Amino acid sequence: MYHLDNISQKKGNTQILRGINLNIDENSIFAILGPSGSGKTTLLNILAGIDRPTDGNFLNEDGQVEKGIMVFQDYRLFPHMTVFQNITFGLKVKKAKNSEIKQRAENIMKTMGISELINRYPDELSGGQQQRVALARALILNPKLLLMDEPFSSLDEALRIEMLDFVKELQRKFQLTIIFVTHYKTEAYMLSNKVAILINGQIMQVDAPKKLESNPQNFDVAKFLGQANFIEGSLSSDNFSSPVYSGKVNVVAEEGKLYLPFSGQLQLDQTDYPAFKGNVVEKKWMGSNLERVTIKINQETVYCDLASESVSENQVYQFYFSKLPVVF
Amino acid sequence: MESKKITKLVVYLIFAVLILMPLFVIFMLAISKTWSYPSLWPKWVDWGYYFRFLFKSKEVQSSLISSLELAIGTVILTIAIAYPTAMALSYYDFKGKKLLNVLVYLPLIIPSIALLTNMDFIMIKYGLNGSFFGVVSVHTLFCLPYAVKLLYDNLILWKDKYEVASRNLGASSLQTFFKVTVPMNKNGLQGAVMMTYIVSMTQYLSTLLIGDGNYLTLSVRMFPFTTSGKYRMAAVYGITFMLVTLIPLYLIDIWVTHKGRKIA
């Protein structure tokens, strides 16, 4: 287990990180998800030993200060070195034997599928190849902890999914602990079973992807995760009143905003929580048997994801909540 | 199209008149035995004169050695000061950064005679006048602005991001400097070394004043020949001066262009 113990970072007058406390299981992939400027890279730099926190520690199970090997967002392959020189850089500076360097380089290049790129320079490689070289450069050092900064942000969609699977495979093969930061929630959900939400330098929530989507702990998290309707209304005790829905709610914060995620909250099957009657004005195919449905209720517009062909356009339906709705 | 051609021609003409013609005159002076007014061309050309003079004259040889010693010393001291300064200015934000920036360029802003008079006073005070270190340190003062600027312009391109990656992979600061910073900054270093070498070679007043006449470099010896009308001698010094400047520049250029990959 890795422990982030009350890590804070202040630069000039700006407080970038505020008392980050996290426990991260070894031999797992842990995602830190947050918007741009939330302090993700700063946190990763601290875990990599690149930056020192103004307060707090990053310790391993034995209570030792741990330093992870970083795969940078822009890869940072040394442009004056070949792929082989880049990959073996870490071993060379540690003065490993030439025979060992050669052997380990051959093995890692074979694993990464980049053996044929050995004499190329970084500017002769594609984005995907550069990422594989950057991963090889880190993994050749047999790190326990691998840190990845927005690892897939510069890859196209198809390559991104391929690399996500590849990284999962590497984690299993090398029994690594991977901590990666991203602002793409799909990436975080696909790669990790545990995601921490970092907003304004604070960890807002640590949960499994499904739980994050269904139970965001506060308005900031819900707003960042997006893909939800926020209905303005008034709140009196646990009763919410708005043109869309009026009735009992689960009050999490008293900002008076009804939280209706696009998926998982609204349904047509009857439950104990009737929502509203609405006119379906538009449907958009979302892939894999799903449609994004636009519903008009008293001049208000609400979006939700339903199974394909479950509703028809210009028809009025009674919708239900799957559980008591939340108001932030 | 026609006007472009004319502009090009004018530029070449100006270049030829200002640079190539004086060079040609110096060259002809160095190999001519007799060339006096009103002859347009030398009456007698002796191609071996230059080399005989160069290899026989102890004065030229000692000047050459003095110039090279001072230039090499200045290059070492300048780069040793300029590199960390340029790195600090391009990588970090710190209090007094603007002041440091101004201080570096100060030797170019202050009139050199005022600076030299005061430097001479300081050197005498600390017993450094006439010494190798004294002359080199004053040469360094005039070379630093160029060296810092050339290194800074190259270092700012990547800032310290590759150094950060290197240290994260386990390299020490020294390993990072020699394996990452210097090879990636080869062009800046080339410019800084070349400029420092040339500026040091051409220092006349500072060498004479701070060196107390102990360092009779090529430029120090050349100047009186020119002012006293001994153009042929001055031309031999001039050609030697150009060769010892151009040959190292060419060698450094080969090192930068052919050793490893050119990256910026």
Side-chain angles (χ1 to χ4, degrees):
Chain A
M1 183 87 84
Y2 290 102
H3 306 281
L4 280 76
D5 184 18
N6 202 28
I7 290 177
S8 294
Q9 181 69 301
K10 196 176 180 184
K11 283 195 176 164
N13 292 324
T14 316
Q15 188 77 42
I16 302 168
L17 297 172
R18 300 157 202 269
I20 304 282
N21 287 298
L22 279 174
N23 292 320
I24 298 167
D25 290 329
E26 282 184 37
N27 195 7
S28 69
I29 303 180
F30 187 86
I32 298 170
L33 177 64
S36 299
S38 59
K40 300 188 297 290
T41 302
T42 305
L43 181 57
L44 215 60
N45 282 343
I46 289 170
L47 306 188
I50 293 167
D51 228 344
R52 277 192 196 158
T54 41
D55 205 6
N57 286 310
F58 174 50
L59 305 169
N60 63 15
E61 189 64 61
D62 306 325
Q64 304 291 312
V65 175
E66 187 77 32
K67 182 190 143 189
I69 300 293
M70 182 96 119
V71 175
F72 295 90
Q73 184 177 5
D74 51 1
Y75 314 129
R76 299 194 193 181
L77 299 176
F78 304 121
H80 60 293
M81 294 184 195
T82 61
V83 165
F84 180 81
Q85 289 166 330
N86 262 288
I87 290 172
T88 56
F89 181 84
L91 291 178
K92 276 191 179 150
V93 295
K94 282 177 184 156
K95 309 226 182 296
K97 283 182 184 166
N98 279 342
S99 55
E100 188 196 345
I101 291 175
K102 208 179 159 197
Q103 185 62 50
R104 280 169 71 173
E106 273 174 20
N107 290 343
I108 196 74
M109 285 195 286
K110 205 173 160 190
T111 307
M112 305 303 291
I114 50 171
S115 302
E116 75 284 2
L117 307 175
I118 187 164
N119 290 320
R120 295 227 198 135
Y121 283 93
D123 62 357
E124 296 165 347
L125 306 175
S126 69
Q129 287 171 332
Q130 285 188 35
Q131 187 167 57
R132 280 170 188 261
V133 175
L135 275 165
R137 186 174 70 171
L139 291 177
I140 200 170
L141 300 171
N142 289 334
K144 283 185 188 168
L145 177 64
L146 185 71
L147 306 165
M148 300 177 87
D149 186 7
E150 303 270 3
F152 313 105
S153 59
S154 50
L155 303 179
D156 59 52
E157 188 67 24
L159 196 58
R160 184 179 297 176
I161 291 164
E162 186 191 315
M163 285 307 291
L164 279 164
D165 291 338
F166 187 63
V167 168
K168 268 186 181 177
E169 201 183 304
L170 287 175
Q171 189 273 325
R172 278 193 293 270
K173 189 178 165 87
F174 290 92
Q175 304 222 312
L176 288 165
T177 305
I178 298 179
I179 301 176
F180 83 103
V181 301
T182 180
H183 62 273
Y184 291 113
K185 65 175 186 174
T186 325
E187 238 172 67
Y189 295 170
M190 281 176 81
L191 203 56
S192 178
N193 293 324
K194 211 171 183 187
V195 178
I197 305 286
L198 181 70
I199 298 172
N200 289 332
Q202 272 181 300
I203 296 290
M204 296 285 182
Q205 191 170 352
V206 184
D207 253 318
K210 199 175 172 185
K211 210 160 174 208
L212 278 175
E213 287 289 327
S214 57
N215 284 317
Q217 273 176 15
N218 57 43
F219 179 65
D220 288 333
V221 174
K223 201 174 156 196
F224 167 67
L225 293 174
Q227 303 283 306
N229 305 281
F230 294 97
I231 311 292
E232 298 274 354
S234 57
L235 195 61
S236 154
S237 182
D238 59 351
N239 271 299
F240 182 76
S241 175
S242 77
V244 173
Y245 170 75
S246 295
K248 281 214 174 298
V249 287
N250 181 9
V251 182
V252 174
E254 296 190 358
E255 289 190 38
K257 288 189 175 80
L258 181 72
Y259 171 62
L260 296 181
F262 292 168
S263 65
Q265 176 71 333
L266 286 167
Q267 59 182 71
L268 293 166
D269 297 333
Q270 192 172 351
T271 66
D272 295 338
Y273 313 108
F276 47 75
K277 266 188 181 168
N279 183 23
V280 174
V281 292
E282 197 184 358
K283 296 194 298 180
K284 274 183 193 157
W285 184 72
M286 297 288 289
S288 25
N289 198 31
L290 213 65
E291 284 177 339
R292 171 129 329 147
V293 177
T294 309
I295 310 159
K296 280 269 181 204
I297 315 121
N298 300 329
Q299 307 305 317
E300 292 277 337
T301 305
V302 168
Y303 302 93
C304 81
D305 295 340
L306 296 173
S308 284
E309 306 302 329
S310 57
V311 289
S312 304
E313 280 178 351
N314 301 317
Q315 293 286 320
V316 175
Y317 294 90
Q318 171 66 47
F319 289 87
Y320 294 88
F321 295 128
S322 58
K323 60 178 183 182
L324 197 62
V326 169
V327 166
F328 289 116
Chain B
M1 208 61 190
E2 201 61 31
S3 69
K4 255 188 180 179
K5 268 185 184 172
I6 293 169
T7 316
K8 231 177 181 181
L9 194 75
V10 169
V11 169
Y12 284 136
L13 215 65
I14 292 171
F15 178 78
V17 168
L18 292 179
I19 313 260
L20 295 180
M21 230 160 74
L23 271 178
F24 178 73
V25 172
I26 291 171
F27 178 74
M28 291 309 286
L29 271 169
I31 59 164
S32 64
K33 258 193 164 177
T34 48
W35 190 9
S36 51
Y37 183 80
S39 306
L40 189 60
W41 299 105
K43 282 185 181 161
W44 190 2
V45 170
D46 178 3
W47 292 94
Y49 175 74
Y50 170 76
F51 293 102
R52 279 198 306 278
F53 189 87
L54 182 67
F55 292 115
K56 272 187 188 165
S57 166
K58 290 245 161 56
E59 284 174 346
V60 178
Q61 285 166 19
S62 75
S63 296
L64 186 60
I65 291 166
S66 281
S67 293
L68 285 172
E69 278 175 352
L70 288 174
I72 292 167
T74 307
V75 166
I76 293 169
L77 187 62
T78 303
I79 298 300
I81 299 170
Y83 228 123
T85 310
M87 283 171 83
L89 288 171
S90 51
Y91 294 174
Y92 311 114
D93 282 320
F94 53 89
K95 268 187 186 170
K97 187 174 171 174
K98 278 186 182 167
L99 183 70
L100 180 63
N101 228 332
V102 174
L103 284 175
V104 166
Y105 295 110
L106 222 49
L108 291 183
I109 301 163
I110 298 174
S112 59
I113 189 71
L115 193 68
L116 280 171
T117 315
N118 284 293
M119 281 305 290
D120 194 30
F121 174 71
I122 289 167
M123 292 294 167
I124 291 165
K125 196 176 169 190
Y126 291 102
L128 286 167
N129 58 317
S131 71
F132 178 74
F133 181 73
V135 180
V136 162
S137 57
V138 174
H139 280 201
T140 300
L141 201 67
F142 291 104
C143 297
L144 267 176
Y146 303 106
V148 171
K149 173 76 180 145
L150 287 160
L151 289 168
Y152 171 85
D153 283 351
N154 206 237
L155 288 167
I156 199 80
L157 292 174
W158 297 283
K159 298 198 94 181
D160 62 343
K161 64 181 200 171
Y162 291 101
E163 278 95 335
V164 164
S166 163
R167 282 197 295 273
N168 181 248
L169 290 165
S172 66
S173 300
L174 214 61
Q175 284 173 321
T176 298
F177 181 74
F178 286 111
K179 286 179 185 288
V180 178
T181 313
V182 172
M184 288 193 59
N185 187 231
K186 231 162 34 174
N187 285 342
L189 186 60
Q190 176 200 23
V193 169
M194 282 179 171
M195 203 63 197
T196 305
Y197 184 83
I198 293 168
V199 172
S200 171
M201 277 280 184
T202 50
Q203 286 297 309
Y204 167 74
L205 196 58
S206 62
T207 315
L208 207 59
L209 204 64
I210 310 296
D212 281 352
N214 293 342
Y215 294 92
L216 299 174
T217 58
L218 287 169
S219 52
V220 170
R221 275 199 202 271
M222 220 172 98
F223 193 65
F225 288 136
T226 320
T227 49
S228 61
K230 293 176 179 169
Y231 296 121
R232 203 172 172 209
M233 298 276 269
V236 171
Y237 276 92
I239 295 283
T240 314
F241 188 75
M242 274 189 278
L243 286 177
V244 293
T245 312
L246 291 173
I247 291 170
L249 298 192
Y250 176 68
L251 293 176
I252 293 170
D253 195 51
I254 287 177
W255 173 68
V256 171
T257 317
H258 298 286
K259 193 173 176 281
R261 192 170 176 80
K262 198 163 183 167
I263 47 171

